[in-house]
Amino acid sequence: MTFHTPLSRRIFTVAVLCSAALAAGAQDKYPSKPITVVVPQAAGGANDAIARVVAQKLGEQLGQSVIVDNRPGAGGTLATGATARARNDGYTLLLTADSAHVIGPALYKNPGFDPVKDFAPVAPVATAGYVLVAHPSFPASTVAELVALAKASPGKYSIASAGNGTLNHLIGEMLQKAAGIQLQHIPYKGSAAAATDVVGGQVPLSVQSLPSAIAFIKAGKLKVLGVVNEKRVAALPDAPTIGETLKGFGQAPWYALFAPAGTPAPIVALLQAEVARALEHKDVVDKLATVGCEPFKGTAAQLAALVQSDLPKWSRVVKDTGATVD
């Protein structure tokens, strides 16, 4: 567009300034529309349960709807890559598990995203309890008994996971390496589907997050052979850790909120503060506890440091266990 008179140029200048002021005002009022939180795993798992508890509280605090959008597939890498390419305006966020964010890049030749360059860390959110479970009829009731059975019949017993490249897949691989046993991996499309088939007797074993399994455990439809976490979990205080049998074994799976890289710093700071505030509420703490999860409080900088430290750790795990996504 070309302007030929001083008056028209002045009108154009005023219009530009007004538009800039309106845009700045809209940003100051963030959020002015619903926020979508992408969860790169299926409904029914730990990440989904955590996201729904936190999204509800964030919505109350921010005065806007916070919508959870489950997009499972390829160990979480598909949705993670898509979110990395979303508009960096604070209206599309990622609440993800460590499996998708720091394990996926080690498992997939082209995960579709860079976990450091493509995201702005917002805040840690929660940790989850994980358990090794079996159908009640399974002949082993402890980790030691499972190891003895599996060593006597290598490859005879199957273990279900939420899918190739997921955290429970990797934990299963780590368990086999630590115990010197061989199990047959059966990947499913989500934790809920895997848990359902163990309950139904189609597969004898699975590593499950407590949100996926705790109702079945309390109903007597699954039995716990061992807790994956380094310490016993409050939701199952009598269940021993796997590390009590296999010394040095233990993981503390984490879940955190990220925004696409380039999201304005004031928006990231606001979201970090609101997550911290949400995690202080007793109802949030209680709801997380009922599904075997705990608040994981921290800053964006601490989350960034955690990602940087976990990337090489999980790369070594993938290499040492020989885990694949085939």
Side-chain angles (χ1 to χ4, degrees), residues 13 72 94 140 156 173 193 221 227 256 258:
T13 301
L94 179 75
K156 176 180 178 180
E173 296 290 340
K221 296 179 179 179
V227 172
F258 295 84

Side-chain angles (χ1 to χ4, degrees), residues 178-224:
I181 60 176
Q182 182 183 345
L183 303 171
Q184 183 181 355
H185 174 226
I186 309 294
Y188 281 77
K189 293 182 178 180
S191 296
T196 298
D197 266 15
V198 178
V199 169
Q202 284 85 359
V203 185
L205 297 163
S206 183
V207 172
Q208 288 284 324
S209 68
L210 276 177
S212 302
I214 194 163
F216 293 128
I217 293 167
K218 292 190 173 182
K221 296 179 179 179
L222 289 175
K223 62 181 177 181
V224 177

Side-chain angles (χ1 to χ4, degrees), residues 110-305:
N110 182 19
F113 66 95
D114 185 304
V116 176
K117 294 179 181 179
D118 290 344
F119 288 96
V122 175
V125 174
T127 58
Y130 269 68
V131 285
L132 174 64
V133 294
H135 187 271
S137 67
F138 189 65
S141 295
T142 66
V143 171
E145 291 174 356
L146 169 63
V147 171
L149 279 175
K151 284 188 174 179
S153 302
K156 176 180 178 180
Y157 301 104
S158 300
I159 184 166
S161 81
N164 284 317
T166 57
L167 183 59
N168 44 21
H169 171 203
L170 263 291
I171 291 171
E173 296 290 340
M174 292 169 64
L175 172 66
Q176 292 176 69
K177 184 171 179 64
I181 60 176
Q182 182 183 345
L183 303 171
Q184 183 181 355
H185 174 226
I186 309 294
Y188 281 77
K189 293 182 178 180
S191 296
T196 298
D197 266 15
V198 178
V199 169
Q202 284 85 359
V203 185
L205 297 163
S206 183
V207 172
Q208 288 284 324
S209 68
L210 276 177
S212 302
I214 194 163
F216 293 128
I217 293 167
K218 292 190 173 182
K221 296 179 179 179
L222 289 175
K223 62 181 177 181
V224 177
L225 275 61
V227 172
V228 170
N229 302 61
E230 295 161 338
K231 298 179 181 179
R232 295 192 182 197
V233 295
L236 299 170
D238 297 328
T241 66
I242 295 173
E244 290 174 42
T245 300
L246 302 175
K247 301 303 179 184
F249 189 96
Q251 294 297 322
W254 54 260
Y255 301 81
L257 189 66
F258 295 84
T263 299
I267 291 178
V268 173
L270 171 65
L271 290 169
Q272 176 187 296
E274 293 300 327
V275 169
R277 186 155 72 102
L279 296 179
E280 292 292 334
H281 281 267
K282 184 177 183 301
D283 60 332
V284 170
V285 176
D286 290 346
K287 286 177 182 177
L288 290 175
T290 61
V291 291
C293 300
E294 297 180 358
F296 182 16
K297 301 172 185 176
T299 64
Q302 289 169 329
L303 176 57

